[in-house]
Amino acid sequence: MSRESEADLSGEAEAALPGTLPEALRAELVAFRRDLHMHPELGNQEFRTTAAIKARLEKAGLRPRVLDSGTGLICDIGDWDGGRPRLAMRADIDALPIPDTKVDCEYRSTVPDRAHACGHDVHTTVVLGAGLVLADLHCKGQLPRPVRLIFQPAEEVLPGGAGDVIRSGGLEGVGRIIAVHCDPRVDAGRIGLRHGPITSACDRLEIALDGPGGHTARPHLTTDLVTAAARVVTDVPALVARRVDARSGLSVTWGRVESGHAPNVIPQHAELSGTVRCLDINAWRQAPDLVHEAIAEVATLHRAKSEINYVRGVPPVVNDPVVTELIHDAMVARRGATAVEDTEQSLGGEDFSWYLEHVPGAMARLGVRRAGDLTVRDLHQGDFDADEHAITVGVELFTAAALLDARMQVLDTAATS
């Protein structure tokens, strides 16, 4: 292929793209997101959410398929001939088991102790909206290659619902996959992007400590489980951190410690649970052995019997360089170069990483901070909300990515011919 031809195709890719969001559909999507926000459902229980997505896709003439697990669904736009692979767009649809604490919000959760406090309702609406726009382009003959929509259940349930999608054939015929995650630290209208790791590994750790208890007047005749548990809380994270390269960011953090019922009784049982997080995938692979060894050493020192349940979670999301550039170019085509900012690697876990064990892909951080909002906000908090302009931005980002990906495939084919 000549340099002149490559330049022509590159210039075409930078030209104005179809697939912007019509105002009527924008308003519908905002209403759709608010309805999901009012009716949050936990992982593997997203029956209402699944039905709502399915009904809207079918109304557009599409044929979504509910996953074998019963919640979540897959929907293809355009016919695949077995040739060039599809681009997949993934959204997660589950909510969190926390109360919605927003005040004076007409669309706050109506379900006690349930909230879309991580923005999955926005992710879902973005992929739905992109699908509807791309379906319209397909009907007009303007969608060069088929696209797959993935609405995944149970992202918040380790090891995540990505496995349900993969087992249901969700990656068959898929060559690349993209996703966004809401970020309340980034202004709406912008995205954060990073080459390489953008999230971290996350596992769950549960420990039971046992031993003969007794009177607090005679701790020397007991296994002092409260002290043993306290030492596990402080010593295990320190031991683990010293047994790997510090740059790996391997950390153990506790979320629950329980033991005892009376102030003058040394208990016979204690329980601890927390998470193990890691920036580096190689250190993550070593983590279970390191954590088991450290717990056993500390428990034995205090004459406590330990039982460990180490639940493998998710590896880091490692953005593929080519797909990262695809997202970058799509955002630049829609909003200009200033709409893309660098982002740091988060210690949060994301089961989008399981897809990347099979196909290249990338995740961007979708800005949802309202203009002028100086409050420092975070995910997984009951007052989480999003500037709904982010829906328009996400839809147009994904539609541009689908069109540019098709052109990239033309370039790839021409370069190898």
Side-chain angles (χ1 to χ4, degrees), residues 349-409:
E350 236 290 351
D351 77 345
F352 184 70
S353 55
W354 290 124
Y355 299 110
L356 306 189
E357 297 285 301
H358 301 270
V359 297
M363 171 176 280
R365 303 198 186 283
L366 180 66
V368 296
R369 182 170 60 194
R370 291 187 172 91
D373 186 355
L374 302 180
T375 304
V376 179
R377 302 186 187 278
D378 201 0
L379 304 170
H380 289 215
Q381 294 184 344
D383 64 348
F384 173 83
D385 202 358
D387 185 331
E388 290 168 325
H389 176 57
I391 295 172
T392 299
V393 175
V395 168
E396 296 187 351
L397 169 67
F398 275 12
T399 57
L403 297 171
L404 291 181
D405 181 62
R407 295 176 183 180
M408 286 173 62
Q409 293 289 343

Side-chain angles (χ1 to χ4, degrees), residues 67-246:
L67 300 182
D68 298 340
S69 57
T71 60
L73 62 161
I74 298 166
C75 184
D76 290 335
I77 303 170
D79 299 322
W80 187 56
D81 59 4
R84 295 192 301 271
R86 307 176 181 92
L87 175 72
M89 304 173 179
R90 174 268 202 172
D92 37 12
I93 67 175
D94 57 325
L96 286 162
I98 64 174
D100 188 333
T101 60
K102 291 190 292 297
V103 179
D104 298 328
C105 177
E106 63 183 16
Y107 53 85
R108 64 181 295 182
S109 172
T110 61
V111 184
D113 299 319
R114 302 286 185 270
H116 269 295
C118 204
H120 292 188
D121 54 333
V122 175
H123 307 166
T124 299
T125 305
V126 163
V127 173
L128 174 65
L132 296 176
V133 173
L134 291 171
D136 183 62
L137 291 180
H138 175 63
C139 289
K140 296 175 180 177
Q142 296 179 318
L143 183 63
R145 289 180 51 242
V147 172
R148 172 163 293 168
L149 314 178
I150 296 175
F151 298 92
Q152 178 209 300
E155 189 276 330
E156 299 287 354
V157 182
L158 290 180
D164 294 331
V165 174
I166 295 168
R167 286 186 291 272
S168 295
L171 293 183
E172 292 176 5
V174 169
R176 292 169 178 152
I177 187 167
I178 59 174
V180 292
H181 198 297
C182 289
D183 192 334
R185 302 165 302 171
V186 178
D187 290 341
R190 298 170 62 84
I191 63 168
L193 202 54
R194 177 184 174 88
H195 285 82
I198 192 170
T199 71
S200 299
C202 180
D203 299 335
R204 188 173 74 243
L205 178 61
E206 299 169 346
I207 307 169
L209 299 176
D210 289 283
H215 203 294
T216 55
R218 291 174 288 280
H220 60 290
L221 301 180
T222 73
T223 292
D224 188 349
L225 280 184
V226 173
T227 297
R231 299 306 301 188
V232 168
V233 166
T234 57
D235 292 354
V236 167
L239 286 172
V240 169
R242 286 295 180 269
R243 294 176 181 180
V244 293
D245 189 322

